[in-house]
mmCIF file of all heavy atoms in Angstrom:
data_model
loop_
_atom_site.group_PDB
_atom_site.id
_atom_site.type_symbol
_atom_site.label_atom_id
_atom_site.label_comp_id
_atom_site.label_asym_id
_atom_site.label_seq_id
_atom_site.Cartn_x
_atom_site.Cartn_y
_atom_site.Cartn_z
ATOM 1 N N GLN Q 1 92.106 109.794 99.127
ATOM 2 C CA GLN Q 1 93.478 109.385 98.809
ATOM 3 C C GLN Q 1 93.942 108.152 99.641
ATOM 4 O O GLN Q 1 95.020 107.619 99.394
ATOM 5 C CB GLN Q 1 94.471 110.535 98.966
ATOM 6 C CG GLN Q 1 94.602 111.100 100.372
ATOM 7 C CD GLN Q 1 95.426 112.372 100.387
ATOM 8 O OE1 GLN Q 1 95.596 112.976 101.444
ATOM 9 N NE2 GLN Q 1 95.925 112.833 99.240
ATOM 10 N N LYS Q 2 93.106 107.740 100.614
ATOM 11 C CA LYS Q 2 93.415 106.472 101.279
ATOM 12 C C LYS Q 2 93.135 105.272 100.378
ATOM 13 O O LYS Q 2 93.626 104.168 100.641
ATOM 14 C CB LYS Q 2 92.530 106.331 102.534
ATOM 15 C CG LYS Q 2 92.762 107.405 103.580
ATOM 16 C CD LYS Q 2 91.784 107.244 104.739
ATOM 17 C CE LYS Q 2 91.915 108.380 105.756
ATOM 18 N NZ LYS Q 2 90.924 108.244 106.864
ATOM 19 N N TRP Q 3 92.360 105.499 99.343
ATOM 20 C CA TRP Q 3 91.906 104.418 98.490
ATOM 21 C C TRP Q 3 92.598 104.377 97.103
ATOM 22 O O TRP Q 3 92.752 103.335 96.542
ATOM 23 C CB TRP Q 3 90.387 104.477 98.295
ATOM 24 C CG TRP Q 3 89.633 104.373 99.588
ATOM 25 C CD1 TRP Q 3 89.263 105.399 100.425
ATOM 26 C CD2 TRP Q 3 89.236 103.196 100.238
ATOM 27 N NE1 TRP Q 3 88.621 104.943 101.529
ATOM 28 C CE2 TRP Q 3 88.580 103.548 101.447
ATOM 29 C CE3 TRP Q 3 89.293 101.835 99.907
ATOM 30 C CZ2 TRP Q 3 88.031 102.627 102.326
ATOM 31 C CZ3 TRP Q 3 88.753 100.931 100.751
ATOM 32 C CH2 TRP Q 3 88.112 101.304 101.947
ATOM 33 N N PHE Q 4 92.926 105.558 96.582
ATOM 34 C CA PHE Q 4 93.538 105.624 95.251
ATOM 35 C C PHE Q 4 94.151 107.015 95.044
ATOM 36 O O PHE Q 4 93.824 107.931 95.806
ATOM 37 C CB PHE Q 4 92.493 105.343 94.151
ATOM 38 C CG PHE Q 4 91.131 105.925 94.383
ATOM 39 C CD1 PHE Q 4 90.924 107.304 94.295
ATOM 40 C CD2 PHE Q 4 90.050 105.136 94.704
ATOM 41 C CE1 PHE Q 4 89.691 107.872 94.513
ATOM 42 C CE2 PHE Q 4 88.809 105.686 94.940
ATOM 43 C CZ PHE Q 4 88.607 107.055 94.845
ATOM 44 N N PRO Q 5 95.018 107.177 94.059
ATOM 45 C CA PRO Q 5 95.653 108.474 93.832
ATOM 46 C C PRO Q 5 94.677 109.536 93.364
ATOM 47 O O PRO Q 5 93.835 109.290 92.492
ATOM 48 C CB PRO Q 5 96.678 108.167 92.725
ATOM 49 C CG PRO Q 5 96.897 106.687 92.755
ATOM 50 C CD PRO Q 5 95.575 106.121 93.182
ATOM 51 N N VAL Q 6 94.765 110.713 93.986
ATOM 52 C CA VAL Q 6 93.924 111.834 93.599
ATOM 53 C C VAL Q 6 94.811 113.049 93.373
ATOM 54 O O VAL Q 6 95.969 113.055 93.785
ATOM 55 C CB VAL Q 6 92.871 112.155 94.668
ATOM 56 C CG1 VAL Q 6 91.956 110.962 94.929
ATOM 57 C CG2 VAL Q 6 93.480 112.627 95.941
ATOM 58 N N SER Q 7 94.251 114.064 92.705
ATOM 59 C CA SER Q 7 95.009 115.291 92.425
ATOM 60 C C SER Q 7 94.163 116.477 92.859
ATOM 61 O O SER Q 7 93.033 116.656 92.402
ATOM 62 C CB SER Q 7 95.334 115.378 90.958
ATOM 63 O OG SER Q 7 95.950 116.634 90.639
ATOM 64 N N TYR Q 8 94.697 117.286 93.751
ATOM 65 C CA TYR Q 8 94.048 118.515 94.172
ATOM 66 C C TYR Q 8 94.556 119.684 93.333
ATOM 67 O O TYR Q 8 95.768 119.862 93.192
ATOM 68 C CB TYR Q 8 94.289 118.799 95.642
ATOM 69 C CG TYR Q 8 93.630 120.029 96.158
ATOM 70 C CD1 TYR Q 8 92.346 119.983 96.714
ATOM 71 C CD2 TYR Q 8 94.248 121.281 96.131
ATOM 72 C CE1 TYR Q 8 91.715 121.104 97.204
ATOM 73 C CE2 TYR Q 8 93.625 122.436 96.596
ATOM 74 C CZ TYR Q 8 92.366 122.335 97.126
ATOM 75 O OH TYR Q 8 91.718 123.470 97.607
ATOM 76 N N ASP Q 9 93.666 120.458 92.745
ATOM 77 C CA ASP Q 9 94.089 121.543 91.863
ATOM 78 C C ASP Q 9 93.126 122.739 92.067
ATOM 79 O O ASP Q 9 91.927 122.637 91.918
ATOM 80 C CB ASP Q 9 94.039 121.100 90.426
ATOM 81 C CG ASP Q 9 94.679 122.111 89.451
ATOM 82 O OD1 ASP Q 9 95.041 123.197 89.878
ATOM 83 O OD2 ASP Q 9 94.789 121.762 88.242
ATOM 84 N N ASP Q 10 93.708 123.893 92.437
ATOM 85 C CA ASP Q 10 92.897 125.092 92.594
ATOM 86 C C ASP Q 10 93.443 126.250 91.769
ATOM 87 O O ASP Q 10 93.096 127.416 91.998
ATOM 88 C CB ASP Q 10 92.775 125.490 94.088
ATOM 89 C CG ASP Q 10 94.137 125.751 94.707
ATOM 90 O OD1 ASP Q 10 95.138 125.860 93.961
ATOM 91 O OD2 ASP Q 10 94.223 125.867 95.951
ATOM 92 N N GLY Q 11 94.262 125.945 90.802
ATOM 93 C CA GLY Q 11 94.895 126.991 90.021
ATOM 94 C C GLY Q 11 94.214 127.274 88.688
ATOM 95 O O GLY Q 11 94.038 126.399 87.855
ATOM 96 N N GLY Q 12 93.761 128.523 88.498
ATOM 97 C CA GLY Q 12 93.139 128.943 87.266
ATOM 98 C C GLY Q 12 91.697 128.564 87.138
ATOM 99 O O GLY Q 12 91.070 128.033 88.051
ATOM 100 N N ALA Q 13 91.142 128.853 85.941
ATOM 101 C CA ALA Q 13 89.740 128.559 85.675
ATOM 102 C C ALA Q 13 89.496 127.065 85.720
ATOM 103 O O ALA Q 13 90.386 126.231 85.416
ATOM 104 C CB ALA Q 13 89.337 129.138 84.336
ATOM 105 N N VAL Q 14 88.271 126.678 86.070
ATOM 106 C CA VAL Q 14 87.970 125.246 86.153
ATOM 107 C C VAL Q 14 88.141 124.554 84.828
ATOM 108 O O VAL Q 14 88.618 123.414 84.725
ATOM 109 C CB VAL Q 14 86.510 125.043 86.665
ATOM 110 C CG1 VAL Q 14 86.056 123.601 86.516
ATOM 111 C CG2 VAL Q 14 86.391 125.480 88.101
ATOM 112 N N GLY Q 15 87.783 125.250 83.699
ATOM 113 C CA GLY Q 15 87.986 124.659 82.388
ATOM 114 C C GLY Q 15 89.409 124.274 82.108
ATOM 115 O O GLY Q 15 89.685 123.226 81.530
ATOM 116 N N ARG Q 16 90.356 125.113 82.539
ATOM 117 C CA ARG Q 16 91.756 124.803 82.336
ATOM 118 C C ARG Q 16 92.193 123.646 83.223
ATOM 119 O O ARG Q 16 93.026 122.820 82.832
ATOM 120 C CB ARG Q 16 92.635 126.017 82.651
ATOM 121 C CG ARG Q 16 92.449 127.156 81.651
ATOM 122 C CD ARG Q 16 93.388 128.307 81.975
ATOM 123 N NE ARG Q 16 93.246 129.406 81.015
ATOM 124 C CZ ARG Q 16 93.931 130.515 81.047
ATOM 125 N NH1 ARG Q 16 94.819 130.710 82.017
ATOM 126 N NH2 ARG Q 16 93.771 131.439 80.114
ATOM 127 N N ARG Q 17 91.630 123.579 84.420
ATOM 128 C CA ARG Q 17 91.937 122.450 85.291
ATOM 129 C C ARG Q 17 91.441 121.151 84.705
ATOM 130 O O ARG Q 17 92.112 120.120 84.793
ATOM 131 C CB ARG Q 17 91.332 122.706 86.692
ATOM 132 C CG ARG Q 17 92.069 123.758 87.488
ATOM 133 C CD ARG Q 17 91.455 123.969 88.846
ATOM 134 N NE ARG Q 17 90.629 125.161 88.934
ATOM 135 C CZ ARG Q 17 89.874 125.476 89.962
ATOM 136 N NH1 ARG Q 17 89.801 124.645 91.004
ATOM 137 N NH2 ARG Q 17 89.170 126.598 89.962
ATOM 138 N N TYR Q 18 90.256 121.182 84.109
ATOM 139 C CA TYR Q 18 89.748 119.985 83.415
ATOM 140 C C TYR Q 18 90.706 119.556 82.339
ATOM 141 O O TYR Q 18 91.012 118.349 82.185
ATOM 142 C CB TYR Q 18 88.383 120.289 82.789
ATOM 143 C CG TYR Q 18 87.215 120.335 83.711
ATOM 144 C CD1 TYR Q 18 86.093 121.112 83.399
ATOM 145 C CD2 TYR Q 18 87.197 119.628 84.921
ATOM 146 C CE1 TYR Q 18 84.984 121.177 84.283
ATOM 147 C CE2 TYR Q 18 86.112 119.696 85.778
ATOM 148 C CZ TYR Q 18 85.011 120.454 85.450
ATOM 149 O OH TYR Q 18 83.939 120.502 86.300
ATOM 150 N N ARG Q 19 91.229 120.483 81.567
ATOM 151 C CA ARG Q 19 92.112 120.152 80.459
ATOM 152 C C ARG Q 19 93.431 119.544 80.973
ATOM 153 O O ARG Q 19 93.957 118.624 80.369
ATOM 154 C CB ARG Q 19 92.433 121.374 79.616
ATOM 155 C CG ARG Q 19 91.239 121.910 78.832
ATOM 156 C CD ARG Q 19 90.720 120.868 77.810
ATOM 157 N NE ARG Q 19 89.645 121.379 77.042
ATOM 158 C CZ ARG Q 19 89.759 122.070 75.900
ATOM 159 N NH1 ARG Q 19 90.960 122.335 75.433
ATOM 160 N NH2 ARG Q 19 88.706 122.481 75.212
ATOM 161 N N ARG Q 20 93.896 120.052 82.061
ATOM 162 C CA ARG Q 20 95.137 119.472 82.623
ATOM 163 C C ARG Q 20 94.915 118.031 83.055
ATOM 164 O O ARG Q 20 95.782 117.151 82.869
ATOM 165 C CB ARG Q 20 95.616 120.301 83.815
ATOM 166 C CG ARG Q 20 96.232 121.638 83.446
ATOM 167 C CD ARG Q 20 97.058 122.238 84.564
ATOM 168 N NE ARG Q 20 96.270 122.689 85.690
ATOM 169 C CZ ARG Q 20 95.837 123.970 85.848
ATOM 170 N NH1 ARG Q 20 96.141 124.872 84.904
ATOM 171 N NH2 ARG Q 20 95.153 124.329 86.931
ATOM 172 N N GLN Q 21 93.770 117.758 83.623
ATOM 173 C CA GLN Q 21 93.470 116.363 84.008
ATOM 174 C C GLN Q 21 93.171 115.500 82.834
ATOM 175 O O GLN Q 21 93.547 114.314 82.836
ATOM 176 C CB GLN Q 21 92.246 116.374 84.986
ATOM 177 C CG GLN Q 21 92.503 117.092 86.318
ATOM 178 C CD GLN Q 21 93.633 116.472 87.117
ATOM 179 O OE1 GLN Q 21 93.811 115.262 87.137
ATOM 180 N NE2 GLN Q 21 94.435 117.306 87.751
ATOM 181 N N ASP Q 22 92.573 116.050 81.786
ATOM 182 C CA ASP Q 22 92.327 115.293 80.551
ATOM 183 C C ASP Q 22 93.670 114.818 79.994
ATOM 184 O O ASP Q 22 93.791 113.671 79.502
ATOM 185 C CB ASP Q 22 91.638 116.156 79.485
ATOM 186 C CG ASP Q 22 90.187 116.451 79.846
ATOM 187 O OD1 ASP Q 22 89.637 115.728 80.702
ATOM 188 O OD2 ASP Q 22 89.620 117.369 79.230
ATOM 189 N N GLU Q 23 94.666 115.683 80.020
ATOM 190 C CA GLU Q 23 95.940 115.408 79.376
ATOM 191 C C GLU Q 23 96.723 114.296 80.060
ATOM 192 O O GLU Q 23 97.590 113.641 79.458
ATOM 193 C CB GLU Q 23 96.805 116.659 79.322
ATOM 194 C CG GLU Q 23 97.891 116.624 78.271
ATOM 195 C CD GLU Q 23 98.613 117.953 78.124
ATOM 196 O OE1 GLU Q 23 98.826 118.642 79.142
ATOM 197 O OE2 GLU Q 23 98.978 118.294 76.985
ATOM 198 N N VAL Q 24 96.425 114.049 81.334
ATOM 199 C CA VAL Q 24 97.102 112.939 82.048
ATOM 200 C C VAL Q 24 96.163 111.756 82.229
ATOM 201 O O VAL Q 24 96.554 110.732 82.843
ATOM 202 C CB VAL Q 24 97.637 113.413 83.405
ATOM 203 C CG1 VAL Q 24 98.638 114.517 83.219
ATOM 204 C CG2 VAL Q 24 96.534 113.820 84.365
ATOM 205 N N GLY Q 25 94.933 111.826 81.716
ATOM 206 C CA GLY Q 25 94.058 110.669 81.696
ATOM 207 C C GLY Q 25 93.176 110.488 82.902
ATOM 208 O O GLY Q 25 92.619 109.402 83.089
ATOM 209 N N THR Q 26 92.984 111.493 83.735
ATOM 210 C CA THR Q 26 92.154 111.378 84.927
ATOM 211 C C THR Q 26 90.694 111.171 84.514
ATOM 212 O O THR Q 26 90.131 112.050 83.872
ATOM 213 C CB THR Q 26 92.288 112.638 85.812
ATOM 214 O OG1 THR Q 26 93.668 112.844 86.131
ATOM 215 C CG2 THR Q 26 91.480 112.474 87.084
ATOM 216 N N PRO Q 27 90.045 110.047 84.891
ATOM 217 C CA PRO Q 27 88.716 109.794 84.373
ATOM 218 C C PRO Q 27 87.588 110.633 84.976
ATOM 219 O O PRO Q 27 86.581 110.857 84.319
ATOM 220 C CB PRO Q 27 88.510 108.293 84.721
ATOM 221 C CG PRO Q 27 89.421 108.046 85.844
ATOM 222 C CD PRO Q 27 90.624 108.935 85.672
ATOM 223 N N PHE Q 28 87.754 111.126 86.216
ATOM 224 C CA PHE Q 28 86.688 111.866 86.855
ATOM 225 C C PHE Q 28 87.276 113.079 87.582
ATOM 226 O O PHE Q 28 88.359 113.058 88.140
ATOM 227 C CB PHE Q 28 85.962 110.996 87.881
ATOM 228 C CG PHE Q 28 85.425 109.729 87.323
ATOM 229 C CD1 PHE Q 28 86.029 108.497 87.636
ATOM 230 C CD2 PHE Q 28 84.349 109.712 86.486
ATOM 231 C CE1 PHE Q 28 85.566 107.318 87.115
ATOM 232 C CE2 PHE Q 28 83.863 108.534 85.927
ATOM 233 C CZ PHE Q 28 84.485 107.324 86.261
ATOM 234 N N CYS Q 29 86.495 114.172 87.539
ATOM 235 C CA CYS Q 29 86.873 115.385 88.284
ATOM 236 C C CYS Q 29 85.695 115.780 89.198
ATOM 237 O O CYS Q 29 84.540 115.823 88.723
ATOM 238 C CB CYS Q 29 87.215 116.548 87.327
ATOM 239 S SG CYS Q 29 88.752 116.294 86.426
ATOM 240 N N VAL Q 30 85.991 116.069 90.421
ATOM 241 C CA VAL Q 30 85.010 116.435 91.410
ATOM 242 C C VAL Q 30 85.173 117.925 91.726
ATOM 243 O O VAL Q 30 86.291 118.375 92.109
ATOM 244 C CB VAL Q 30 85.162 115.640 92.710
ATOM 245 C CG1 VAL Q 30 84.238 116.161 93.790
ATOM 246 C CG2 VAL Q 30 84.877 114.139 92.426
ATOM 247 N N THR Q 31 84.103 118.722 91.590
ATOM 248 C CA THR Q 31 84.164 120.139 91.820
ATOM 249 C C THR Q 31 83.206 120.527 93.022
ATOM 250 O O THR Q 31 82.036 120.157 93.008
ATOM 251 C CB THR Q 31 83.766 120.943 90.612
ATOM 252 O OG1 THR Q 31 84.644 120.647 89.534
ATOM 253 C CG2 THR Q 31 83.858 122.460 90.889
ATOM 254 N N VAL Q 32 83.794 121.190 93.994
ATOM 255 C CA VAL Q 32 83.027 121.732 95.113
ATOM 256 C C VAL Q 32 82.636 123.162 94.742
ATOM 257 O O VAL Q 32 83.512 124.010 94.509
ATOM 258 C CB VAL Q 32 83.870 121.727 96.415
ATOM 259 C CG1 VAL Q 32 83.100 122.350 97.537
ATOM 260 C CG2 VAL Q 32 84.258 120.302 96.771
ATOM 261 N N ASP Q 33 81.339 123.440 94.659
ATOM 262 C CA ASP Q 33 80.908 124.726 94.163
ATOM 263 C C ASP Q 33 79.964 125.400 95.192
ATOM 264 O O ASP Q 33 79.861 124.959 96.313
ATOM 265 C CB ASP Q 33 80.234 124.608 92.787
ATOM 266 C CG ASP Q 33 79.160 123.550 92.764
ATOM 267 O OD1 ASP Q 33 78.611 123.195 93.842
ATOM 268 O OD2 ASP Q 33 78.837 123.035 91.657
ATOM 269 N N PHE Q 34 79.273 126.439 94.707
ATOM 270 C CA PHE Q 34 78.371 127.159 95.646
ATOM 271 C C PHE Q 34 77.181 126.290 96.062
ATOM 272 O O PHE Q 34 76.681 126.414 97.189
ATOM 273 C CB PHE Q 34 77.896 128.459 94.996
ATOM 274 C CG PHE Q 34 79.008 129.472 94.930
ATOM 275 C CD1 PHE Q 34 79.623 129.743 93.732
ATOM 276 C CD2 PHE Q 34 79.374 130.194 96.071
ATOM 277 C CE1 PHE Q 34 80.663 130.707 93.671
ATOM 278 C CE2 PHE Q 34 80.375 131.120 96.024
ATOM 279 C CZ PHE Q 34 81.046 131.388 94.822
ATOM 280 N N GLU Q 35 76.684 125.414 95.160
ATOM 281 C CA GLU Q 35 75.572 124.534 95.538
ATOM 282 C C GLU Q 35 76.002 123.584 96.681
ATOM 283 O O GLU Q 35 75.247 123.269 97.571
ATOM 284 C CB GLU Q 35 75.149 123.701 94.340
ATOM 285 C CG GLU Q 35 74.261 124.438 93.327
ATOM 286 C CD GLU Q 35 75.068 125.419 92.445
ATOM 287 O OE1 GLU Q 35 76.307 125.364 92.524
ATOM 288 O OE2 GLU Q 35 74.449 126.177 91.708
ATOM 289 N N THR Q 36 77.293 123.189 96.654
ATOM 290 C CA THR Q 36 77.797 122.285 97.701
ATOM 291 C C THR Q 36 77.643 122.860 99.075
ATOM 292 O O THR Q 36 77.302 122.187 100.053
ATOM 293 C CB THR Q 36 79.288 121.951 97.445
ATOM 294 O OG1 THR Q 36 79.450 121.492 96.072
ATOM 295 C CG2 THR Q 36 79.772 120.905 98.396
ATOM 296 N N ILE Q 37 77.881 124.158 99.188
ATOM 297 C CA ILE Q 37 77.893 124.822 100.505
ATOM 298 C C ILE Q 37 76.577 125.550 100.777
ATOM 299 O O ILE Q 37 76.456 126.358 101.711
ATOM 300 C CB ILE Q 37 79.075 125.806 100.653
ATOM 301 C CG1 ILE Q 37 79.002 126.896 99.583
ATOM 302 C CG2 ILE Q 37 80.390 125.062 100.533
ATOM 303 C CD1 ILE Q 37 80.121 127.939 99.658
ATOM 304 N N GLY Q 38 75.522 125.269 99.958
ATOM 305 C CA GLY Q 38 74.198 125.804 100.204
ATOM 306 C C GLY Q 38 74.019 127.224 99.779
ATOM 307 O O GLY Q 38 73.124 127.921 100.307
#
């Protein structure tokens, strides 16, 4: 967020979060999952 606007969202299923971001035009979504933490 030092470089550009970002949105943090942890509410509900990931699929629903994707849809919320789609509706406002967010081009990329980054998900931290179990693979991320080994």
Side-chain angles (χ1 to χ4, degrees):
Q1 63 188 178
K2 299 175 183 178
W3 300 90
F4 40 71
V6 302
S7 174
Y8 181 90
D9 189 355
D10 59 12
V14 170
R16 291 183 179 179
R17 287 181 257 173
Y18 285 153
R19 291 298 182 89
R20 287 198 289 266
Q21 295 301 322
D22 289 344
E23 200 173 37
V24 301
T26 305
F28 305 107
C29 289
V30 172
T31 302
V32 177
D33 52 22
F34 288 103
E35 283 76 8
T36 308
I37 60 177

